[in-house]
Amino acid sequence: MVDAATRPSSSPGARLALLAFAQFIITLDFNIVYVALPDIGSALGFTVQSLQWVVSAYIVALGGLLLFGGRAADRLGPRRMFIVGLLIYAVSSMVGGLAEDSGVLLTARAVQGIGGALLFPSTLRLVFTSFDEGPARNKALVVYGAVGGAGLSAGALLGGVLTNYAGWEWIFFVNVPLAVGAALLTPRILPADTFLPGAGKGFDLLGALVATLGSTLVVFGLASGPDEGWGSARGAGAIAVGAALLALFLFVESRAGSPLMPLRLLRHRSLAITMLVAFIYQGGLGAAYYLFTTYLQEVLGYSPLAAGLGFLPPTIASMLFAARFSTKLLTKLGLRGALFLGTLTTGVGMAGMTLAFTSEGTGSYWVLLPGLVVWAVGGALAMPAIFAGAGAGVAPLEQGVSSAMATTARQIGGAVGLAALVAVANTTVDVDTTGVPPLGDLTDGLRLAGVVGAIVTVAGSFLALLHDKPKPVEQPAPAPAADETAVS
């Protein structure tokens, strides 16, 4: 590996560009699968209900291991974990594109989630340590979030183009050159890792295992309930065992010498409220993408390419809003105001979009557009606020794990929200068929799920009003000895 410690420091702009590009890769990978889901389901034999696992396998692995990834960034160095995460992305994407059955594809998606669990907290930690808290960091986080939003749009659009002209396999192959290229640039742009005092402590492997298994079982139960029956072992049984394991996780953390998630950080009000709002926000947002693309393709008959193009106008609106207003609003309103207003606006937009769903010959994309734009503008304010709340007032040695805690809440919220709202949507259709259900039933289910998601998102926005001005938490006790040591 090239020793970056011997190179001149790169500019803050170059560092932010690389970190934002990594966020672009993460969000591209999250959204690129949606428009390809019908083709993947047909090719690999997924049912209507089980198809969501192409999305959920990634989210669950990502959410379950984010805390471990955050601790790894703190203990082993964010640049090192940044490179490892990118390379895992590249390898798992290649395997996903070559998959010929559902099991291999779901495994590849889960491994992609592992890569994301190492990559995401590393990027946020590097943003936090590269820019001082306040206007400079707010501006960096808005850029970071706006590029992530561009990744969501590019994912939908590129997914449509690739699925339409090259086949669904290429939605995975496209990640390979992006991830490898970013990994090769990293030693030239990002400074060498340094160990702060106390960074040499170990890892809580038991906590990582329990957290991942618990979250997986909860989402598995929500996804399996409609097929197997809510009173079955795969329904309520899996949810109950998963919830018990998550409770056990908290007990394990309270006793661990070097916990994966230091529970005292939950007393940090800024972080705790950010986690709650992020959980609810992402639960509605993740399901909204699924509902929107399903409606366009299955009800309105859009091709994958046309469905991908449908994301373009709201994304342009989101980026324009972010460029002109997000930084100013985040600085002026503070975390509480920005988090409240952004989440509330997202929920209102989601309601406007899904209430416009119709299967009676009057359905049109243009009727959906106002709600889409409002939804997108809300996200342009909510996402930077969530990122800022994850690291506000947190000690440098714990900024990796604090960002991982907020992102874990967001990603697990996305997995739970997707599973729960897909279950709501499927209450009106025959989930045992692999064919297309009657359009009236399908549309009614999609609309019902969207309205439920919007109501929960709007209600969750009011939790942000419990936010107060962040106060620094106590520094962890430093390990004896330890000068800062550069590692490459």
Side-chain angles (χ1 to χ4, degrees):
M1 184 182 297
V2 178
D3 184 3
T6 64
R7 293 181 175 274
S9 297
S10 60
S11 69
R15 292 197 295 272
L16 180 58
L18 179 60
L19 297 173
F21 183 66
Q23 169 71 345
F24 178 87
I25 294 173
I26 295 171
T27 55
L28 176 84
D29 190 63
F30 177 82
N31 217 29
I32 200 171
V33 301
Y34 279 100
V35 295
L37 285 177
D39 284 33
I40 292 173
S42 298
L44 301 183
F46 285 96
T47 66
V48 171
Q49 182 67 30
S50 66
L51 187 58
Q52 67 167 297
W53 278 98
V54 178
V55 178
S56 293
Y58 173 80
I59 298 174
V60 170
L62 174 65
L65 286 171
L66 269 168
L67 293 173
F68 179 80
R71 257 318 186 219
D74 290 334
R75 302 303 191 199
L76 298 178
R79 192 182 79 166
R80 178 176 291 172
M81 292 301 100
F82 185 84
I83 293 172
V84 172
L86 287 168
L87 294 179
I88 290 175
Y89 252 105
V91 173
S92 58
S93 295
M94 179 64 72
V95 173
L98 295 173
E100 296 183 353
D101 64 69
S102 60
V104 173
L105 179 62
L106 293 182
T107 300
R109 288 289 286 164
V111 176
Q112 283 183 320
I114 295 172
L118 297 177
L119 183 59
F120 196 92
S122 299
T123 60
L124 271 182
R125 190 182 192 279
L126 287 162
V127 170
F128 293 148
T129 55
S130 298
F131 299 91
D132 293 334
E133 190 169 341
R137 184 182 295 177
N138 289 345
K139 184 176 181 180
L141 288 171
V142 167
V143 172
Y144 181 79
V147 173
L152 291 174
S153 176
L157 179 57
L158 188 59
V161 172
L162 292 174
T163 303
N164 209 61
Y165 294 110
W168 65 264
E169 297 89 347
W170 281 90
I171 69 171
F172 297 105
F173 292 149
V174 72
N175 288 328
V176 178
L178 297 178
V180 171
L184 292 174
L185 286 173
T186 298
R188 297 178 176 275
I189 294 176
L190 296 182
D193 291 325
T194 58
F195 285 142
L196 296 174
K201 296 181 180 179
F203 293 96
D204 179 16
L205 293 176
L206 177 60
L209 178 63
V210 173
T212 303
L213 186 57
S215 60
T216 301
L217 285 173
V218 168
V219 177
F220 179 78
L222 289 169
S224 302
D227 278 332
E228 303 293 332
W230 290 108
S232 67
R234 291 189 178 186
I239 295 172
V241 174
L245 286 172
L246 293 177
L248 176 62
F249 169 70
L250 296 178
F251 176 78
V252 169
E253 296 308 279
S254 70
R255 299 298 183 92
S258 181
L260 194 68
M261 184 180 78
L263 297 184
R264 59 186 172 75
L265 286 179
L266 294 176
R267 297 196 298 270
H268 185 24
R269 189 165 179 169
S270 171
L271 178 60
I273 296 300
T274 297
M275 289 173 64
L276 284 172
V277 177
F279 180 91
I280 294 170
Y281 169 84
Q282 192 68 29
L285 183 70
Y289 280 110
Y290 180 91
L291 300 175
F292 176 60
T293 54
T294 300
Y295 178 73
L296 288 185
Q297 292 181 264
E298 302 294 351
V299 178
L300 299 186
Y302 279 36
S303 68
L305 176 59
L309 286 170
F311 282 92
L312 197 55
T315 301
I316 292 173
S318 174
M319 295 186 71
L320 289 175
F321 183 88
R324 293 187 60 112
F325 302 110
S326 289
T327 302
K328 295 177 182 177
L329 285 173
L330 183 53
T331 302
K332 182 176 181 178
L333 299 177
L335 289 176
R336 177 170 61 182
L339 199 56
F340 167 70
L341 184 59
T343 307
L344 176 67
T345 304
T346 300
V348 170
M350 184 177 173
M353 177 189 73
T354 53
L355 285 172
F357 288 177
T358 176
S359 60
E360 299 179 5
T362 59
S364 167
Y365 171 81
W366 302 109
V367 178
L368 309 179
L369 190 57
L372 281 170
V373 170
V374 173
W375 164 30
V377 166
L381 183 58
M383 286 305 300
I386 290 172
F387 293 149
V394 177
L397 183 58
E398 293 183 325
Q399 285 180 337
V401 74
S402 70
S403 65
M405 288 168 67
T407 308
T408 295
R410 190 165 65 88
Q411 296 298 340
I412 296 300
V416 171
L418 177 63
L421 292 179
V422 168
V424 171
N426 285 334
T427 57
T428 63
V429 302
D430 179 6
V431 298
D432 291 327
T433 180
T434 57
V436 179
L439 290 185
D441 291 350
L442 177 61
T443 305
D444 289 344
L446 295 174
R447 187 189 305 113
L448 175 62
V451 170
V452 170
I455 290 172
V456 173
T457 303
V458 169
S461 70
F462 287 90
L463 289 173
L465 298 179
L466 300 175
H467 217 292
D468 59 7
K469 185 176 181 179
K471 299 176 182 179
V473 294
E474 64 273 19
Q475 295 275 352
D483 296 326
E484 292 191 0
T485 305
V487 294
S488 56

